[in-house]
């Protein structure tokens, strides 16, 4: 899901800003990946310490997050025409 959104975002930039936008996108993508691993581990440990079925609850949590992100992604306004990049 991140690749189409990254492509759409970079296509919306002017030609001279694409390299800056690409490096910015790569930086934040790596940071959010690292942060998501930390959050996932913390959620698992909290569920495990509460004697709940940690994996099952996390599966439901991520399923809900997937559904919400899919709905939000479909509501994003897409450009009707693309500028030619020279």
């Amino acid at each position: 899901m991140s690749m189409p959104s990254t492509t759409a975002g970079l296509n919306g930039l002017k030609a001279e800003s694409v390299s800056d936008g690409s490096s910015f996108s790569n930086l934040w993508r790596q940071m959010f990946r690292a942060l998501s691993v930390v959050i996932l581990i913390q959620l698992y440990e909290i569920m495990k310490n509460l004697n709940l079925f940690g994996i099952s609850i996390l599966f439901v949590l991520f399923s809900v997050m997937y559904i919400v992100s899919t709905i939000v992604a479909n509501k994003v306004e897409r450009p009707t025409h693309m500028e030619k990049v020279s």
Side-chain angles (χ1 to χ4, degrees):
M1 191 164 122
S2 88
M3 208 49 159
S5 63
T6 301
T7 303
L10 292 176
N11 282 340
L13 295 176
K14 294 181 180 176
E16 61 270 3
S17 301
V18 170
S19 62
D20 292 334
S22 178
S23 60
F24 184 78
S25 171
N26 289 333
L27 170 77
W28 284 104
R29 183 174 42 220
Q30 290 175 7
M31 290 182 66
F32 281 121
R33 282 182 184 162
L35 185 61
S36 66
V37 170
V38 171
I39 291 171
L40 179 70
I41 291 170
Q42 290 298 321
L43 285 173
Y44 179 75
E45 288 297 319
I46 290 170
M47 298 300 172
K48 193 169 93 174
N49 291 337
L50 293 174
N51 292 327
L52 299 173
F53 300 105
I55 294 174
S56 299
I57 292 174
L58 285 178
F59 177 76
V60 170
L61 175 68
F62 284 114
S63 297
V64 169
M65 288 172 51
Y66 173 76
I67 291 168
V68 168
S69 63
T70 302
I71 292 169
V72 169
N74 286 325
K75 298 230 182 247
V76 171
E77 192 172 313
R78 291 174 180 80
T80 56
H81 65 282
M82 304 301 269
E83 277 184 28
K84 287 188 176 180
V85 179
S86 50

